[in-house]
Amino acid sequence: MHLPDLDIAKKRDKKENNYIELKENYKPVLKGKKYFLRTYGCQMNVHDSEALRNYLEALGLENTDLVSNADVIVLNTCAIRENAKDKVTGFLGKCHYLKKKNPNLKIVFAGCMSEQPNVINEIKSKHSYIDIVIGTHNLYDLPKLLLENFNKQTIEVYSESDEVIEGMHYNRDSQYTAWVNIMYGCDKFCTYCIVPYTRGKERSRKLEKIVEEVKRLKENGYKEVTLLGQNVNAYGHDIGETFSHLLECVAKTNIERIRFVTSHPWNFTDEMINIIAKYKNIMPYIHLPIQSGSNEILKRMNRRYTREEYFELFTKMKEKIPNVSITTDIIVGFPNESEEDFQDTLDMVKKCQFDGAYTFIYSPREGTPAAKMTDNTKMAVKEERLHRLNELVNYYSNQSNQKLLGKVVEVLILGNSEKDNSKVYGYTDTMKLVNVSGPKEIIGQIVPVLITDAKSFSLDGDYLKEKVKN
Ligand code: 5AD
Ligand code: SF4
């Protein structure tokens, strides 16, 4: 049994990365049994779930979308805000009920919540029906733990890791677009954020391994890769590499579309901007979290830039990368945020006119520095600020979508539209969602689409057989 510890998770030693090449070969000994997997949270978790799915299926388990049919339930959890935890707790109620009906059911708790000592204490005291808890650093322990014949709760969570895993297999959700991990962890320690504790220290995969993975994906018909890291522009600092060099090498594989998330404004270099501008297959889309427009709040958040520096970078990107779309994340109600601080945030939204923004009310995370700061701002005030912010943010994303009305854009078609089954859906190079009238045969292709309607969060369009010049 290994339990998490935030003090250990906070440590950043100078140890070299330990590259581990997994050699996995499992027998389908659980054939005939079914698993149900639910994922909460960010793209990193979504991608981790593709690895968990691979392990489950390598053991012979089959996917079911009906939780009551499952022999194994896996929850891949998120710790970023309290409401993510509330959703998990709600679902655990259902798992408990199913376990009472079927004592052979195995319940696996994975993901970022496993890395929080307070959560583990709750699991031990209130959720003894959970069979296995694994952390974010040792997903590869899942098969071993599932096959072990134990009858008490097993918790295998490591707080630190110097491991960089290679040779991981994934059962990817899509045949056309793939997540590719380029690094693990985060060293930024923004004062509100739990991620540096749950995901450990920043460590980069080897450049050749990433490029190899992209080449293989391309050979297998993938049209798009998204390079994944908590903070992709810090890629390579631990191994004498740079993100701009990686981007250039990935661009040279000639895969059709390359994206990357998430970028931090602090170390986004001119070289990176130049490379993005230079290669047509690097998509003109940057997710660049600002978090707040107030210099005082940014300082207390430990974001390492001022509003002026953010705007300078933003302007440079807009000038140098043709047609670039920039989206952001914003937190309202950070401890003791004043109305004036909030007005600074609204002001930055007006200046930048973001193509889109994810907005959140600050949620204290136990063990982070911000959770100890005094906060005299009432929740009702925070909610009202979020509402005002959302109105402004939605206005600009609508404006940005309206600009595409009547234009022909390239869309990578990913599948049937959820809203209207007679349509298909996909994304523009600038990451805008489009519901497209067109035949199912175009799924998996990048096709020209005439934009016929624009809303705040999506576009409608018609597939054009012949490309018409704008
Ligand atoms: N409370 C609210 N939002 C948060 N985020 C990260 N930590 C918190 C928190 N404690 C937001 C940030 C980040 C995004 C992924 O989640 O905006 O960019
Ligand atoms: Fe969290 Fe900041 Fe790291 Fe992003 S950069 S994961 S917000 S600590």
Side-chain angles (χ1 to χ4, degrees):
M1 173 124 26
H2 284 96
L3 302 177
D5 178 329
L6 291 190
D7 287 329
I8 296 176
K10 199 159 58 182
K11 283 195 184 134
R12 291 297 184 266
D13 55 36
K14 297 270 175 269
K15 262 198 281 177
E16 291 228 332
N17 296 340
N18 180 14
Y19 286 87
I20 302 235
E21 185 83 38
L22 296 178
K23 298 262 181 290
E24 299 169 328
N25 190 10
Y26 298 103
K27 296 203 173 74
V29 285
L30 299 179
K31 212 172 173 61
K33 299 214 182 287
K34 293 195 164 56
Y35 76 90
F36 175 93
L37 169 65
R38 179 165 284 182
T39 311
Y40 301 84
C42 67
Q43 296 97 334
M44 194 64 80
N45 260 20
V46 171
H47 190 37
D48 281 354
S49 281
E50 293 179 329
L52 293 171
R53 213 176 270 289
N54 183 271
Y55 285 126
L56 293 161
E57 293 182 14
L59 293 178
L61 286 146
E62 245 176 63
N63 177 53
T64 172
D65 292 331
L66 207 58
V67 64
S68 51
N69 274 352
D71 302 286
V72 177
I73 300 176
V74 183
L75 285 81
N76 191 7
T77 63
C78 166
I80 199 98
R81 282 171 292 275
E82 196 62 19
N83 57 3
K85 183 180 169 192
D86 294 342
K87 284 189 208 155
V88 171
T89 312
F91 187 60
L92 276 178
K94 178 147 200 168
C95 296
H96 191 188
Y97 166 78
L98 291 170
K99 179 86 180 186
K100 277 190 210 152
K101 283 209 315 190
N102 170 16
N104 291 327
L105 173 67
K106 283 239 185 309
I107 300 175
V108 181
F109 193 97
C112 288
M113 276 173 70
S114 306
E115 299 284 342
Q116 296 179 286
N118 56 330
V119 171
I120 294 299
N121 288 338
E122 260 179 58
I123 287 181
K124 289 205 286 188
S125 59
K126 292 197 205 144
H127 305 286
S128 52
Y129 56 90
I130 293 178
D131 298 280
I132 299 170
V133 183
I134 51 168
T136 57
H137 302 304
N138 58 323
L139 298 181
Y140 53 76
D141 278 338
L142 179 67
K144 185 183 81 193
L145 293 172
L146 265 181
L147 295 180
E148 254 170 39
N149 226 349
F150 53 85
N151 48 17
K152 62 175 197 317
Q153 193 171 64
T154 299
I155 302 177
E156 281 295 306
V157 178
Y158 300 88
S159 297
E160 59 174 351
S161 174
D162 55 0
E163 287 179 355
V164 185
I165 311 292
E166 297 293 355
M168 196 85 149
H169 291 282
Y170 299 97
N171 278 17
R172 298 183 192 268
D173 296 335
S174 163
Q175 286 168 265
Y176 315 112
T177 169
W179 307 109
V180 175
N181 268 132
I182 62 167
M183 59 194 296
Y184 301 98
C186 178
D187 284 354
K188 287 287 178 285
F189 287 101
C190 301
T191 54
Y192 51 82
C193 189
I194 194 74
V195 170
Y197 307 82
T198 60
R199 292 277 172 181
K201 71 172 183 185
E202 261 169 21
R203 48 218 196 275
S204 305
R205 284 183 66 198
K206 286 198 173 129
L207 188 139
E208 320 80 78
K209 293 280 182 184
I210 300 167
V211 173
E212 235 173 68
E213 184 173 342
V214 174
K215 280 187 183 155
R216 227 175 314 120
L217 287 163
K218 181 172 181 272
E219 280 160 21
N220 289 328
Y222 281 86
K223 297 284 193 301
E224 179 178 288
V225 290
T226 302
L227 308 180
L228 263 190
Q230 307 301 340
N231 187 3
V232 288
N233 36 356
Y235 171 80
H237 71 105
D238 49 339
I239 54 168
E241 266 300 342
T242 62
F243 184 55
S244 48
H245 183 220
L246 173 70
L247 260 184
E248 182 153 40
C249 294
V250 174
K252 285 181 177 164
T253 64
N254 286 328
I255 188 145
E256 274 163 283
R257 285 184 162 195
I258 299 155
R259 302 186 185 281
F260 51 90
V261 278
T262 288
S263 303
H264 192 295
W266 187 63
N267 42 5
F268 209 109
T269 61
D270 285 356
E271 209 184 339
M272 266 150 44
I273 298 180
N274 292 338
I275 296 286
I276 298 165
K278 182 171 165 192
Y279 288 91
K280 270 192 71 171
N281 57 348
I282 303 180
M283 295 298 99
Y285 167 71
I286 300 171
H287 184 62
L288 192 71
I290 183 168
Q291 310 299 4
S292 168
S294 150
N295 280 340
E296 166 60 26
I297 299 282
L298 286 171
K299 200 161 156 198
R300 287 202 285 118
M301 285 177 163
N302 189 31
R303 287 293 290 178
R304 306 158 191 239
Y305 55 83
T306 60
R307 55 186 272 132
E308 291 78 17
E309 283 161 347
Y310 183 95
F311 193 62
E312 196 186 319
L313 174 65
F314 180 94
T315 311
K316 214 186 296 176
M317 287 172 172
K318 285 274 175 188
E319 281 170 4
K320 291 206 170 159
I321 307 168
N323 190 33
V324 72
S325 149
I326 302 180
T327 57
T328 200
D329 288 344
I330 302 170
I331 297 175
V332 298
F334 187 75
N336 274 354
E337 180 192 64
S338 66
E339 177 60 25
E340 205 186 334
D341 292 321
F342 178 63
Q343 285 299 334
D344 283 348
T345 297
L346 292 181
D347 185 60
M348 279 305 275
V349 172
K350 286 180 196 154
K351 278 174 93 167
C352 298
Q353 307 191 1
F354 294 107
D355 291 83
Y358 298 95
T359 58
F360 314 99
I361 290 184
Y362 166 71
S363 170
R365 308 321 292 138
E366 200 176 309
T368 61
K372 296 189 204 89
M373 295 178 189
T374 22
D375 187 4
N376 292 316
T377 317
K378 299 235 163 27
M379 188 43 97
V381 172
K382 297 186 182 193
E383 282 167 356
E384 191 264 340
R385 283 182 192 159
L386 181 71
H387 182 73
R388 277 192 281 161
L389 175 64
N390 283 344
E391 290 213 323
L392 194 64
V393 155
N394 294 348
Y395 170 78
Y396 288 114
S397 42
N398 191 294
Q399 289 282 96
S400 138
N401 281 350
Q402 295 297 335
K403 286 186 201 140
L404 291 179
L405 252 185
K407 296 243 165 79
V408 178
V409 291
E410 302 260 297
V411 178
L412 169 56
I413 306 291
L414 293 178
N416 289 323
S417 165
E418 268 180 30
K419 284 216 175 113
D420 177 350
N421 219 318
S422 70
K423 292 187 173 182
V424 290
Y425 83 97
Y427 288 90
T428 64
D429 56 351
T430 50
M431 199 61 190
K432 291 181 193 296
L433 171 65
V434 196
N435 287 301
V436 180
S437 298
K440 307 285 178 201
E441 294 79 66
I442 60 175
I443 293 175
Q445 294 178 32
I446 297 170
V447 296
V449 170
L450 172 69
I451 301 301
T452 53
D453 197 9
K455 303 159 203 162
S456 289
F457 305 110
S458 68
L459 301 159
D460 285 336
D462 293 335
Y463 162 59
L464 295 181
K465 265 202 177 128
E466 300 296 325
K467 183 159 179 173
V468 185
K469 268 214 155 265
N470 267 321

